[in-house]
């Protein structure tokens, strides 16, 4: 017989369970030390390969609880939509998917209830009852996030594929032309391939990938919970390289008389060097062994978006514990600049990613809200000729994250600084007692 406690025990959702697990992981000192040690070794390796190349002081960051929670939700939307396509989604998962998608709709105040109705119809109704043209116009042609549209389009395409619609082939071709790889080829914009159906085709042909969909907690792991970026500022003149593409770009940079053309080739040279470094790092088995990590399968990505964001990303996991994951990004200083503030590739422009400073009120409430939205930064800085990892204080984290909102020499800036300083002093006193 079950106990009263068991009888009234509240069943946690997969998202909540994953969130709590990863919050605990954020506090794991061993994970932090392994990541920071790897970041230092990667930075040393870069400077060993390219001692004359100028880089910004590398910065590592740990996701905020808010960002982590959003990431897990996105992964669950992705997971359940894939289960839909392989034909093995449960009714409970359909309900969860609908609720998650409703949240995405509510992120956009301009979207009305009819958008939710269309999504509900897609998830639950037979394809014959769905007006596909209306669905595309009223749901897909909106400001919903690209990942949300991808999930919905994949479900729609799957339902059409499994149907007996008389114009089935025409509809499938229309979806490919407007939202698939055909569209991306026409426009030259990789991100116009919202369907990304090659991923689904690989899933159907790879038993291991399909099996991973059922390991919920593994799938919902944020493999970029910790990460570091190397921002390359300048490649000097007379830089020696065996990379033929890089050599040609540098030659064009030196020959260019127009400042804008020179800037273009400089950025392209740095992009090529970024790719080279990540390739060399991922192939350096001796260094990976020294870090006791391995490259996560299929994590190596060269991102090239039409908003100007071009960078190389790669993820690693510890051989000791695969939950100890971290990401490396390598990019140019130009890309780093447009990814900030009001830049064309600004991260904070995406739905749910806005940087909103908590309301300054009671100190303890402000601190609590601040710690929910704030990432934690670690600087990989030089000390006596060698690199070390230096954790930033709460005040430093706040200033870095809200640098566009918190302006020095303002009343707001002073109030925030005073609240955080008092909190940090109280924390130090508590440790000494």
């Amino acid at each position: 017989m079950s106990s009263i406690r068991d009888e009234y025990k509240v069943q946690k959702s997969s998202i909540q369970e994953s969130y709590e697990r990863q919050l605990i992981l954020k506090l794991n000192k061993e994970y932090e030390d392994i990541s920071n040690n790897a970041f230092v070794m990667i930075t040393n390796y870069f400077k060993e390969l390219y001692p004359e190349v100028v880089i910004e002081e590398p910065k590592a960051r740990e996701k905020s609880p808010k960002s982590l929670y959003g990431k897990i939700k996105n992964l669950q939307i992705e997971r359940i939509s894939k289960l839909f396509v392989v034909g093995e989604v449960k009714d409970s998962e359909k309900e969860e998917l609908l609720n998650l998608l409703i949240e995405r709709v509510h992120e956009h105040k301009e979207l009305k209830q009819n958008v939710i109705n269309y999504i509900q119809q897609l998830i639950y109704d037979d394809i014959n009852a769905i007006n596909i043209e209306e669905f595309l116009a009223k749901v897909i042609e909106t400001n919903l996030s690209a990942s949300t549209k991808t999930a919905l389009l994949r479900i729609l395409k799957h339902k059409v594929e499994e149907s007996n619609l008389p114009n089935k082939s025409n509809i499938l071709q229309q979806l490919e032309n407007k939202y698939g790889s055909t569209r991306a080829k026409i426009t030259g914009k990789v991100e116009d391939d919202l369907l990304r159906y090659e991923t689904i085709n690989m899933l159907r042909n790879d038993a291991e990938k399909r099996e991973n969909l059922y390991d919920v907690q593994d799938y919902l792991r944020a493999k970029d919970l910790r990460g570091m970026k190397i921002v390359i500022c300048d490649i000097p003149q007379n830089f020696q390289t065996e990379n033929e593409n890089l050599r040609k770009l540098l030659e064009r940079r030196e020959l260019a008389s127009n400042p804008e053309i020179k800037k273009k080739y400089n950025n392209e040279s740095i992009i090529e060097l970024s790719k080279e470094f990540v390739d060399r790092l991922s192939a350096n088995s001796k260094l990976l062994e020294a870090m006791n990590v391995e490259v996560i399968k299929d994590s190596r990505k060269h991102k090239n978006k039409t908003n100007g964001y071009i960078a190389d990303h790669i993820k690693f996991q510890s051989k000791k514990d695969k939950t100890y994951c971290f990401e490396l990004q390598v990019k140019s200083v130009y890309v780093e600049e447009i990814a900030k503030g009001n830049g064309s590739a600004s991260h904070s422009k995406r739905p749910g990613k806005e940087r909103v400073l908590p309301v300054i009120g009671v100190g303890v409430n402000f601190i609590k809200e601040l710690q929910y939205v704030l990432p934690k930064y670690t600087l990989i800085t030089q000390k006596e000729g060698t690199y070390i990892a230096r954790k930033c204080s709460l005040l430093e984290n706040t200033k870095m994250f809200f640098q566009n909102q918190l302006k020095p020499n303002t009343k707001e800036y002073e109030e925030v600084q005073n609240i955080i300083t008092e909190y940090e002093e109280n924390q130090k006193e508590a440790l000494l007692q």
Side-chain angles (χ1 to χ4, degrees):
M1 181 180 293
S2 62
S3 67
I4 292 176
R5 178 177 292 179
D6 289 336
E7 189 173 342
Y8 288 96
K9 186 177 181 181
V10 177
Q11 184 69 33
K12 292 178 184 176
S13 69
S14 298
I15 288 174
Q16 188 62 32
E17 183 181 346
S18 176
Y19 180 58
E20 291 178 8
R21 283 188 181 192
Q22 293 182 78
L23 283 181
I24 293 170
L25 185 60
K26 277 162 59 70
L27 300 173
N28 188 309
K29 186 67 167 58
E30 182 180 58
Y31 173 33
E32 180 183 12
D33 289 344
I34 286 173
S35 302
N36 286 344
N37 180 59
F39 296 149
V40 168
M41 294 179 76
I42 289 169
T43 304
N44 278 324
Y45 181 54
F46 184 94
K47 294 307 292 182
E48 175 190 321
L49 291 175
Y50 316 113
E52 296 176 349
V53 172
V54 180
I55 61 173
E56 288 187 355
E57 184 176 62
K59 183 193 295 181
R61 71 96 189 95
E62 176 193 288
K63 272 187 180 295
S64 69
K66 179 179 182 285
S67 178
L68 173 61
Y69 197 44
K71 175 81 172 187
I72 295 168
K73 286 182 177 181
N74 281 338
L75 289 170
Q76 185 71 323
I77 290 173
E78 178 183 89
R79 188 186 76 85
I80 298 176
S81 65
K82 285 180 177 179
L83 284 171
F84 221 118
V85 174
V86 297
E88 297 183 26
V89 66
K90 300 174 184 175
D91 288 342
S92 60
E93 289 169 327
K94 288 183 180 180
E95 182 180 1
E96 182 178 6
L97 177 61
L98 176 60
N99 289 330
L100 289 169
L101 291 172
I102 288 173
E103 286 185 29
R104 292 291 173 265
V105 173
H106 286 161
E107 289 175 355
H108 300 269
K109 294 179 181 179
E110 76 278 7
L111 299 181
K112 308 301 180 185
Q113 178 64 36
N114 68 319
V115 175
I116 294 172
N117 294 341
Y118 281 118
I119 293 173
Q120 185 171 5
Q121 191 179 36
L122 175 69
I123 291 174
Y124 288 108
D125 291 358
D126 185 271
I127 190 66
N128 291 284
I130 299 172
N131 186 319
I132 295 174
E133 290 296 333
E134 276 191 16
F135 178 84
L136 295 175
K138 303 294 186 181
V139 180
I140 302 303
E141 297 296 330
T142 66
N143 288 325
L144 284 170
S145 69
S147 60
T148 302
K149 292 177 183 179
T150 295
L152 293 169
L153 284 167
R154 285 173 172 176
I155 294 170
L156 177 61
K157 180 171 180 177
H158 167 68
K159 284 200 162 190
V160 173
E161 285 176 332
E162 296 298 304
S163 74
N164 293 314
L165 291 171
N167 56 343
K168 173 177 169 177
S169 60
N170 289 337
I171 295 171
L172 291 173
Q173 189 61 55
Q174 177 193 8
L175 292 175
E176 189 60 39
N177 291 344
K178 290 188 71 174
Y179 307 108
S181 57
T182 302
R183 176 67 178 173
K185 288 175 184 175
I186 293 170
T187 64
K189 299 178 181 179
V190 177
E191 58 266 39
D192 278 352
D193 181 9
L194 285 170
L195 271 166
R196 291 190 283 117
Y197 224 64
E198 73 282 353
T199 302
I200 300 301
N201 292 329
M202 285 191 288
L203 183 67
R204 287 169 171 164
N205 295 317
D206 191 326
E208 183 182 344
K209 286 184 182 295
R210 289 197 305 278
E211 192 63 32
N212 190 37
L213 293 175
Y214 305 99
D215 189 345
V216 182
Q217 290 306 309
D218 184 66
Y219 200 95
L220 298 186
R221 282 193 299 122
K223 299 178 182 67
D224 59 346
L225 184 58
R226 296 183 186 277
M228 180 185 77
K229 60 185 175 185
I230 291 177
V231 178
I232 303 174
C233 300
D234 184 56
I235 302 174
Q237 290 183 356
N238 303 317
F239 179 78
Q240 300 300 308
T241 178
E242 295 178 2
N243 182 329
E244 189 64 19
N245 289 336
L246 178 57
R247 187 183 62 77
K248 288 179 179 178
L249 287 168
L250 289 171
E251 284 180 358
R252 290 169 187 163
R253 182 188 72 173
E254 298 311 312
L255 292 171
S257 56
N258 183 300
E260 288 302 312
I261 299 297
K262 187 177 284 289
K263 183 178 178 181
K264 171 181 175 290
Y265 283 125
N266 185 62
N267 190 52
E268 289 180 6
S269 299
I270 291 174
I271 289 166
E272 182 62 33
L273 185 67
S274 301
K275 285 196 293 186
E276 178 185 289
F277 175 66
V278 174
D279 286 342
R280 294 178 74 168
L281 173 63
S282 60
N284 191 328
S285 56
K286 185 176 180 181
L287 179 60
L288 295 177
E289 188 64 35
M291 293 191 291
N292 198 30
V293 303
E294 58 191 3
V295 176
I296 295 176
K297 185 180 178 183
D298 301 326
S299 73
R300 170 76 168 89
K301 290 182 172 63
H302 176 69
K303 298 195 175 185
N304 188 346
K305 299 182 180 181
T306 50
N307 62 13
Y309 184 86
I310 305 173
D312 284 84
H313 293 215
I314 189 169
K315 295 184 179 74
F316 303 87
Q317 65 187 18
S318 169
K319 291 182 179 179
K320 181 174 183 178
D321 187 330
K322 72 174 186 178
T323 65
Y324 297 174
C325 300
F326 61 87
E327 181 184 57
L328 171 69
Q329 299 179 13
V330 188
K331 62 186 74 168
S332 71
V333 68
Y334 168 76
V335 169
E336 176 69 0
E337 285 303 312
I338 65 170
K340 293 178 181 178
N342 292 315
S344 62
S346 175
H347 189 70
S348 59
K349 285 184 177 180
R350 292 161 57 187
K353 300 290 186 181
E354 301 87 353
R355 297 187 180 186
V356 181
L357 186 72
V359 176
I360 301 171
V362 179
V364 64
N365 292 335
F366 175 80
I367 294 295
K368 186 176 180 180
E369 290 182 34
L370 185 65
Q371 290 177 326
Y372 179 66
V373 301
L374 201 64
K376 294 179 181 178
Y377 297 111
T378 297
L379 301 178
I380 311 303
T381 188
Q382 282 190 305
K383 185 177 181 180
E384 298 176 357
T386 185
Y387 282 100
I388 60 166
R390 184 184 74 77
K391 290 172 65 174
C392 294
S393 67
L394 178 61
L395 183 57
E396 288 175 310
N397 289 330
T398 304
K399 288 179 179 178
M400 277 190 264
F401 189 67
F402 290 109
Q403 60 182 329
N404 292 316
Q405 289 86 352
L406 273 179
K407 302 299 182 183
N409 303 317
T410 62
K411 182 181 178 182
E412 184 180 47
Y413 185 94
E414 186 178 336
E415 286 178 332
V416 169
Q417 185 166 267
N418 289 340
I419 292 172
I420 293 174
T421 301
E422 182 181 356
Y423 171 77
E424 291 187 320
E425 288 175 353
N426 291 339
Q427 290 293 101
K428 288 178 183 176
E429 287 179 12
L431 289 173
L432 293 173
Q433 290 176 0

